[in-house]
């Protein structure tokens, strides 16, 4: 169902509002007056039961899409109480009026569905439904009480978004395998993840010279102290390696200190991250001091390279978690604070609410993408036989409305059955096809093909399934192709093409998890071909 308008059901004023909006939506859908009245009255009868007997009640009015392009007007009343049992007479009357009433219990919440077919439903397009939504957003309030209540609901929703963003931000930083915290100008810790307390204890509440001498080895502590002082004076980033006291021993950590700036470029504090590089240091010392390991030096170098790559990835995570995610959170707090001042309700809504919503939505996308990337794991028992044709069909179904909207053409060949992780393979197709539908100025044309190829390259030699997805999109300059696989690297402004810049980085990691590699061929204005090489065995 495409939701158009939602109404809380708390008192008689809400009952009037529910009836009025059900009538108006029926009118907008082209129903005759008698059908408008029957549908609105049926909604009112159930709504009256919710107000009298229900708990946490609200009604959502919208348009339901049926097969064959048909549509129906739909109302769903949500309640923690079974209203059919509370007032059987009113429920039976609503059934006689609407003739299509059903009740479901989903996750402990009762849902009462009322539907009415829409004649000539072909004229109700996506754009018209959007205009319905805009109409109710601009609708004149029934009374000053309704206006005040509407504003209060908006403030509650914004508050809930802020709380959810803060909770997700805390969850994200707690999952990262490193110490991350922010400090004020004087060094007092203002925000930290769980690992800080686990490693350094509850008494570590300030980042200052006295505490740094306690937690770092005597040979490196002075360098960290001088680096911290330099960051405060010159406003530059500082990175160094040092041994950190962990219980009764010392462990090598990479320490990074960077200024945290606000929207105006002023420094509001500092972000400090520390991640464990002890394994890397042991490898370095082993290669340096032990001549007996020369035969295995190449393998150790490869391990060291992989560790270095992981370290860079963790450093990117630290910056995103501590800076990019805090930036929209800081905007939400600033705009909420400004909204508290002596402005009219109309000014608050016009000036700040859209900006607060945009910042909250951007943060939500960042958090979800970072969590998806950090959760990409590989375990032997996760691999099963996967029919790529079924995966592709599911992904195309997910994009059904966007494909229809853009009139996209998708041609597919028969794809093989491979051994893989179904969820990750689905993410792979979803991100690549999503890019082909997004980064295009013409009617999208996408071709998906498969072939078996032998690769003789020394590093990836073997036999592979080559799965290629070609499009007619905007294309990419050759010198920018390698940047596409860098996490959060964007080639276009946020206001031109939306997204977080993690899609192809996630695809690369998925293909590597399956023992393969990726290839991109592109030319500006002539489209892009993305190929995933997956091992034959």
């Amino acid at each position: 169902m495409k939701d158009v308008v939602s109404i809380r059901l708390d008192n008689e004023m809400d009952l009037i509002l529910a009836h009025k909006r059900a009538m108006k939506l029926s009118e907008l859908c082209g129903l005759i007056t008698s059908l408008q009245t029957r549908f609105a009255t049926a909604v009112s009868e159930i709504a009256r039961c919710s107000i009298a007997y229900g708990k946490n009640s609200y009604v959502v009015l919208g348009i339901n899409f049926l097969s064959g392009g048909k549509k129906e007007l739909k109302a769903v009343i949500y309640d923690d109480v079974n209203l059919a049992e509370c007032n059987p007479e009113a429920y039976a009357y609503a059934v006689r009026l609407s003739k299509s009433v059903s009740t479901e219990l989903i996750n402990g919440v009762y849902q009462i569905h009322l539907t009415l077919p829409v004649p000539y439903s072909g004229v109700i397009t996506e754009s018209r439904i959007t205009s319905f939504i805009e109409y109710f957003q601009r609708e004149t309030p029934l009374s000053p009480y309704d206006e005040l209540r509407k504003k209060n609901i908006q403030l509650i929703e914004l508050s809930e978004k802020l709380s959810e963003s803060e909770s997700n931000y805390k969850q994200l930083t707690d999952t990262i395998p490193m110490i991350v915290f922010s400090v004020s100008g004087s060094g007092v810790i203002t925000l930290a993840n769980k690992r800080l307390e686990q490693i350094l204890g509850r008494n570590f509440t300030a980042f200052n010279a006295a505490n740094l001498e306690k937690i770092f080895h005597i040979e490196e502590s002075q360098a960290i102290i001088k680096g911290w002082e330099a960051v405060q004076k010159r406003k530059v980033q500082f990175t160094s390696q040092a041994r950190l006291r962990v219980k009764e021993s010392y462990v090598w950590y990479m320490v990074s200190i960077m200024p945290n700036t606000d929207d105006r470029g002023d420094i509001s504090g500092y972000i400090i991250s520390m991640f464990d590089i002890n394994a890397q240091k042991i490898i370095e010392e082993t290669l340096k001091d032990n001549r007996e390991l020369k035969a295995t030096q190449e393998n150790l170098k490869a391990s060291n390279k992989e560790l270095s790559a992981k370290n860079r990835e963790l450093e990117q995570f630290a910056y995103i978690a501590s800076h990019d995610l805090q930036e929209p959170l800081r905007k939400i707090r600033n705009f909420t604070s400004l909204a508290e001042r002596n402005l009219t309700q109309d000014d608050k809504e016009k000036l700040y609410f859209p900006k607060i919503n945009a910042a909250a939505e951007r943060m939500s996308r960042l958090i979800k993408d970072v969590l998806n990337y950090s959760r990409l794991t590989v375990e032997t028992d996760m691999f099963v036989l996967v029919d790529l044709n079924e995966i592709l069909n599911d992904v195309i179904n997910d994009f059904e409305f966007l494909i229809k909207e853009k009139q996209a053409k998708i041609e597919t060949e028969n794809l093989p059955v491979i051994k893989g992780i179904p969820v990750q393979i689905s993410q792979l197709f979803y991100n690549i096809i999503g890019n082909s539908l997004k980064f295009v100025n013409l009617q999208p044309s996408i071709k998906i093909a498969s072939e078996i190829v032998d690769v003789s390259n020394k590093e990836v030699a073997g036999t592979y399934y080559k799965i290629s997805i070609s499009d007619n999109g905007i294309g990419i300059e050759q010198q920018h192709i390698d940047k596409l696989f860098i996490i959060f690297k964007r080639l276009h402004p946020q206001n031109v093409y939306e997204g977080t810049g993690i899609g192809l980085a996630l695809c690369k990691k998925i293909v590597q998890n399956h023992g393969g590699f990726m290839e991109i061929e592109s030319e500006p204005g002539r489209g892009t071909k993305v190929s995933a090489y997956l091992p034959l065995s």
Side-chain angles (χ1 to χ4, degrees):
M1 181 178 80
K2 180 75 172 181
D3 296 350
V4 175
V5 64
S6 175
I7 308 109
R8 293 288 306 178
L9 298 175
D10 295 327
N11 52 45
E12 292 298 322
M13 185 63 72
D14 299 326
L15 181 61
I16 296 171
L17 192 61
H19 185 275
K20 175 189 173 187
R21 288 179 171 172
M23 284 285 291
K24 187 61 184 180
L25 184 57
S26 303
E27 178 188 339
L28 292 173
C29 289
L31 297 176
I32 61 176
T33 305
S34 60
L35 291 179
Q36 295 175 26
T37 304
R38 290 176 67 91
F39 182 73
T41 304
V43 172
S44 299
E45 285 299 311
I46 304 297
R48 190 188 307 279
C49 294
S50 289
I51 293 171
Y53 307 104
K55 182 179 179 183
N56 299 323
S57 314
Y58 64 97
V59 58
V60 177
L61 303 174
I63 309 295
N64 207 19
F65 293 84
L66 305 175
S67 60
K70 296 181 180 179
K71 300 174 183 68
E72 64 182 5
L73 186 61
K74 187 169 186 177
V76 183
I77 294 93
Y78 298 84
D79 207 302
D80 292 350
V81 175
N82 187 351
L83 302 176
E85 296 179 354
C86 295
N87 193 333
E89 294 80 8
Y91 188 85
Y93 183 49
V95 171
R96 288 200 301 274
L97 289 171
S98 180
K99 296 183 180 179
S100 179
V101 180
S102 61
T103 301
E104 294 181 314
L105 178 61
I106 301 176
N107 296 327
V109 177
Y110 289 92
Q111 298 182 14
I112 300 177
H113 299 254
L114 298 89
T115 59
L116 188 64
V118 177
Y120 313 110
S121 58
V123 299
I124 301 181
T125 61
E126 289 279 356
S127 60
R128 282 206 66 192
I129 294 174
T130 301
S131 71
F132 295 169
I133 296 171
E134 292 173 350
Y135 170 83
F136 287 110
Q137 289 174 343
R138 299 191 306 266
E139 184 184 29
T140 304
L142 292 176
S143 67
Y145 160 80
D146 184 44
E147 173 68 11
L148 180 61
R149 187 172 182 278
K150 182 178 179 182
K151 300 300 182 185
N152 287 337
I153 290 172
Q154 289 177 330
L155 287 172
I156 290 170
E157 289 175 349
L158 291 173
S159 176
E160 289 174 348
K161 283 187 177 181
L162 177 58
S163 298
E164 182 182 358
S165 295
E166 288 180 332
S167 174
N168 288 338
Y169 171 72
K170 182 67 175 172
Q171 178 188 357
L172 174 63
T173 56
D174 285 342
T175 61
I176 296 175
M178 61 190 301
I179 300 171
V180 182
F181 58 98
S182 57
V183 300
S184 64
S186 61
V188 176
I189 296 175
T190 56
L191 186 66
N193 66 347
K194 286 183 180 179
R195 200 166 291 266
L196 175 72
E197 182 179 322
Q198 293 170 351
I199 302 286
L200 301 179
R202 293 184 179 180
N203 295 329
F204 188 78
T205 57
F207 195 77
N208 53 36
N211 281 339
L212 295 179
E213 288 181 343
K214 293 178 183 177
I215 65 172
F216 287 109
H217 194 281
I218 189 172
E219 294 181 8
E220 291 91 37
S221 60
Q222 291 306 310
I224 300 297
I225 292 170
K226 289 180 180 178
W228 167 230
E229 293 172 350
V231 172
Q232 291 176 298
K233 289 179 182 178
R234 298 198 294 271
K235 316 302 181 187
V236 294
Q237 182 177 347
F238 169 79
T239 302
S240 183
Q241 300 178 5
R243 282 169 287 181
L244 184 70
R245 180 184 288 275
V246 180
K247 296 180 179 179
E248 300 302 321
S249 60
Y250 284 98
V251 176
W252 281 99
Y253 271 74
M254 180 70 75
V255 182
S256 176
I257 308 172
M258 65 183 73
N260 188 18
T261 57
D262 59 21
D263 295 335
R264 296 176 297 181
D266 298 329
I267 293 178
S268 57
Y270 301 89
I271 299 165
I272 300 163
S273 62
M274 305 180 191
F275 54 88
D276 187 339
I277 60 168
N278 205 59
Q280 179 180 340
K281 293 295 289 187
I282 291 173
I283 292 174
E284 290 175 356
E285 293 300 320
T286 301
L287 290 174
K288 185 191 302 181
D289 300 332
N290 196 339
R291 295 181 179 179
E292 295 178 2
L293 294 179
K294 282 186 177 180
T296 59
Q297 187 173 3
E298 290 301 320
N299 290 334
L300 289 172
K301 281 184 178 179
S303 298
N304 191 34
K305 182 179 179 181
E306 183 178 350
L307 284 169
S308 296
K310 292 294 183 184
N311 290 340
R312 288 193 297 272
E313 190 174 282
L314 284 171
E315 198 166 28
Q316 287 178 320
F317 267 89
Y319 186 81
I320 294 299
S322 302
H323 184 273
D324 283 12
L325 295 183
Q326 284 199 102
E327 183 250 332
L329 188 60
R330 184 169 57 250
K331 283 186 178 179
I332 293 173
R333 287 176 175 145
N334 288 344
F335 285 127
T336 305
S337 176
L338 289 171
E340 296 285 329
R341 299 178 185 174
N342 297 326
L343 293 175
T344 66
Q345 291 292 342
D346 286 340
D347 286 339
K348 291 177 186 178
E349 183 175 6
K350 291 177 183 176
L351 296 175
Y352 299 115
F353 290 167
K355 295 180 180 179
I356 294 173
N357 278 323
E361 289 170 4
R362 180 181 168 220
M363 185 170 197
S364 178
R365 289 198 304 270
L366 281 168
I367 289 171
K368 288 177 181 176
D369 283 349
V370 174
L371 285 174
N372 284 338
Y373 188 84
S374 64
R375 288 170 178 166
L376 283 181
T377 58
V378 182
E379 293 179 13
T380 305
D381 58 0
M382 296 171 66
F383 283 80
V384 297
L385 289 177
V386 180
D387 188 339
L388 297 186
N389 298 290
E390 294 179 1
I391 297 290
L392 179 60
N393 287 336
D394 289 341
V395 171
I396 290 175
N397 287 336
D398 289 342
F399 284 114
E400 179 182 1
F401 290 111
L402 184 58
I403 291 171
K404 287 182 179 178
E405 179 184 338
K406 293 196 171 188
Q407 297 182 328
K409 295 181 180 179
I410 299 180
E411 299 178 21
T412 66
E413 294 182 0
N414 188 47
L415 302 181
V417 175
I418 67 165
K419 200 166 186 180
I421 305 172
V423 173
Q424 294 189 14
I425 296 296
S426 179
Q427 286 179 298
L428 174 68
F429 277 110
Y430 188 93
N431 279 284
I432 299 175
I433 293 174
N435 282 347
S436 295
L437 292 170
K438 182 194 304 180
F439 298 104
V440 64
N441 294 326
L442 308 171
Q443 178 185 4
S445 177
I446 303 170
K447 296 181 180 179
I448 298 128
S450 169
E451 61 179 318
I452 296 176
V453 296
D454 290 318
V455 178
S456 58
N457 184 291
K458 181 179 178 182
E459 294 182 359
V460 293
T463 304
Y464 295 82
Y465 288 115
K466 180 181 178 183
I467 312 299
S468 300
I469 300 178
S470 307
D471 62 43
N472 63 336
I474 60 175
I476 309 156
E477 294 283 355
Q478 184 66 32
Q479 64 267 29
H480 296 316
I481 288 179
D482 288 340
K483 297 178 183 178
L484 296 175
F485 295 119
I486 300 175
I487 185 172
F488 293 102
K489 187 69 177 179
R490 293 178 51 84
L491 300 183
H492 305 281
Q494 178 75 26
N495 61 349
V496 178
Y497 295 103
E498 64 177 6
T500 59
I502 198 173
L504 285 175
L506 185 141
C507 290
K508 180 181 179 182
K509 191 169 183 179
I510 289 172
V511 174
Q512 289 176 339
N513 284 351
H514 288 73
F517 63 97
M518 291 189 69
E519 211 175 55
I520 295 181
E521 302 169 58
S522 186
E523 186 176 344
R526 304 194 67 176
T528 300
K529 179 179 180 181
V530 180
S531 299
Y533 291 78
L534 302 172
L536 196 64
S537 58

